[in-house]
Amino acid sequence: MKLSHFNFNLPEELLAEFPTENRDESRLMVVNRKTNTIEHKLFKDVIDYFDDGDVMVLNNTKVFPARLYGNKEKTGARIEVFLLRELNAEQRLWDVLVDPARKIRIGNKLYFGDDDSLVAEVIDNTTSRGRTLRFLYDGSYEEFREKLVELGETPIPKYINREVTPEDAERYQTIYAKEEGAVAAPTAGLHFSKHLLKRLEIKGVDFAEVTLHVGLGTFNPVEVEDLSKHKMDSEEMIITQEACDIVNNAKAKKKKICCVGTTSMRAMESSVSSQRTLNPYTGWTNKFIYPPYDFSIADCMITNFHTPKSTLLMMISAFCGHDLMKKAYEEAIKEKYRFYSYGDAMLII
């Protein structure tokens, strides 16, 4: 498969700028791989497709307010700093992206907050937009982290062309988010309400939680026609023994295992035994899933509608089958489904 196989025309008005009023009332397209059919539902109808003993695998990563705005020393130019990952807690070193990048050189200082209470020094260039910053702050490490949260804003995706609202802090987060470390939400999980989770629980559906801290690499455009040459950024992940037990027991009993989101799928596929069972793992993954690919564990998945040429779309193609995926996306555009982070959902069974 080549990059050009994943291009399609997406009308701009289908990129969702705001979430639906109620989480579980976004639309749900159900794509059946056996019958090659497509149904149109609401997200809360997802409960009709699962039974007692089935498992949903959730990514419990939590988005932190990763976008800061600072001023460059001397010129006072406004600079956006996007926190990617902490490199060293003791030295307060962070990998970041800066914008506009051409103005930011090694040795520059950036000042944050009305009172300049947080200062950062640029100590390295990593990519054209990437820098390593050392933060200078007088308080303890806990106070420093609180300061980042106080000054940061919810990192809603760049294509959402509006100011961040207080509502985003809640809605750009799954209701089961626990482990802080993501710079983007695992968006398939945004459709679950407390009420829906409770109803699934009452029906006997089990939940296995994995952690994959979503980095910006997930959204990096693929720029090579030959997909085997694309390199994914590494993202940190944790799969506990408890999660493995839930998944492997269900698999042994031939119950359905549903990955909620491409990130849960990547985490699981990054730690599979030769017997096709799930292994515990703590570390990093740069796994890139594109067709053809033989999935080891999940037999259904929930995902959002993705943008052209994205690595996420490539995984969906591998799981769904390329022709059926194309048919589903043509239908989604025709039926005006909402795309991307705040958009509608797809269940592939």
Side-chain angles (χ1 to χ4, degrees):
M1 304 286 300
K2 294 192 158 48
L3 179 62
S4 46
H5 290 132
F6 298 93
N7 200 13
F8 61 93
N9 283 328
L10 178 59
E12 212 170 294
E13 68 271 15
L14 297 186
L15 285 172
E17 295 247 319
F18 290 92
T20 49
E21 194 175 340
N22 298 314
R23 285 180 186 264
D24 58 15
E25 289 185 349
S26 48
R27 292 163 77 191
L28 177 71
M29 178 186 283
V30 182
V31 180
N32 188 318
R33 294 177 294 171
K34 275 205 183 84
T35 58
N36 238 20
T37 53
I38 291 169
E39 294 178 281
H40 303 288
K41 304 277 185 178
L42 286 181
F43 191 79
K44 58 188 176 187
D45 299 328
V46 80
I47 194 166
D48 300 336
Y49 296 87
F50 296 93
D51 294 305
D52 186 24
D54 291 341
V55 169
M56 286 189 169
V57 182
L58 310 174
N59 181 4
N60 66 10
T61 187
K62 188 174 184 182
V63 179
F64 68 96
R67 192 174 274 134
L68 305 171
Y69 292 95
N71 297 97
K72 192 179 164 191
E73 63 178 339
K74 297 194 179 84
T75 66
R78 187 176 195 242
I79 306 293
E80 179 189 308
V81 172
F82 197 101
L83 302 173
L84 289 180
R85 60 175 75 95
E86 186 174 50
L87 300 174
N88 183 312
E90 209 178 312
Q91 294 184 28
R92 298 180 189 171
L93 293 182
W94 281 76
D95 243 348
V96 305
L97 295 177
V98 291
D99 194 21
R102 65 185 187 283
K103 297 182 173 178
I104 303 302
R105 300 195 173 89
I106 293 171
N108 286 162
K109 283 200 171 79
L110 301 170
Y111 293 85
F112 302 91
D114 296 337
D115 54 356
D116 296 345
S117 54
L118 182 64
V119 182
E121 185 180 1
V122 181
I123 61 169
D124 199 9
N125 293 332
T126 50
T127 61
S128 59
R129 287 182 56 214
R131 302 289 184 270
T132 303
L133 296 189
R134 178 186 285 118
F135 283 97
L136 312 169
Y137 185 71
D138 286 341
S140 67
Y141 178 72
E142 284 67 32
E143 289 168 327
F144 164 64
R145 290 300 298 237
E146 280 167 22
K147 191 55 140 174
L148 289 183
V149 169
E150 178 198 320
L151 293 173
E153 68 175 34
T154 304
I156 60 171
K158 272 282 202 220
Y159 81 88
I160 294 180
N161 206 1
R162 61 171 172 81
E163 292 293 310
V164 174
T165 67
E167 183 195 36
D168 288 314
E170 183 216 343
R171 291 300 302 271
Y172 196 62
Q173 194 82 272
T174 63
I175 59 167
Y176 47 78
K178 287 192 189 79
E179 305 294 334
E180 193 170 86
V183 300
T187 53
L190 298 179
H191 304 284
F192 286 89
S193 62
K194 285 197 173 83
H195 181 61
L196 179 57
L197 279 183
K198 196 74 200 157
R199 285 176 61 215
L200 285 161
E201 210 178 291
I202 291 165
K203 199 169 181 184
V205 174
D206 286 328
F207 299 97
E209 294 188 9
V210 298
T211 306
L212 185 137
H213 292 316
V214 190
L216 283 184
T218 300
F219 308 103
N220 272 356
V222 180
E223 288 167 341
V224 284
E225 186 62 16
D226 177 354
L227 300 186
S228 64
K229 301 226 173 2
H230 178 69
K231 294 280 182 286
M232 290 285 278
D233 279 6
S234 289
E235 293 168 316
E236 196 174 2
M237 59 171 272
I238 301 158
I239 298 177
T240 61
Q241 185 62 56
E242 184 191 358
C244 295
D245 293 345
I246 294 169
V247 168
N248 294 336
N249 289 342
K251 191 171 162 63
K253 292 176 186 162
K254 304 231 177 325
K255 297 290 185 183
K256 282 196 199 93
I257 295 166
C258 178
C259 263
V260 177
T262 56
T263 57
S264 304
M265 185 70 88
R266 280 184 63 228
M268 287 219 305
E269 289 294 324
S270 297
S271 191
V272 173
S273 74
S274 52
Q275 282 81 43
R276 296 166 86 84
T277 56
L278 189 59
N279 285 337
Y281 180 79
T282 300
W284 295 77
T285 179
N286 62 351
K287 192 166 189 66
F288 174 30
I289 297 174
Y290 59 94
Y293 185 86
D294 184 16
F295 290 83
S296 300
I297 295 174
D299 41 26
C300 48
M301 79 181 289
I302 294 168
T303 185
N304 277 25
F305 287 92
H306 307 295
T307 47
K309 296 185 178 177
S310 60
T311 59
L312 310 170
L313 184 64
M314 290 161 194
M315 182 195 290
I316 302 312
S317 163
F319 190 76
C320 188
H322 194 69
D323 292 342
L324 184 54
M325 181 274 289
K326 280 185 75 171
K327 176 180 161 184
Y329 268 63
E330 280 161 16
E331 180 88 354
I333 291 168
K334 192 177 102 202
E335 295 293 329
K336 298 203 168 3
Y337 273 73
R338 290 149 49 86
F339 275 65
Y340 213 40
S341 303
Y342 275 150
D344 295 314
M346 177 190 277
L347 168 65
I348 306 168
I349 54 177

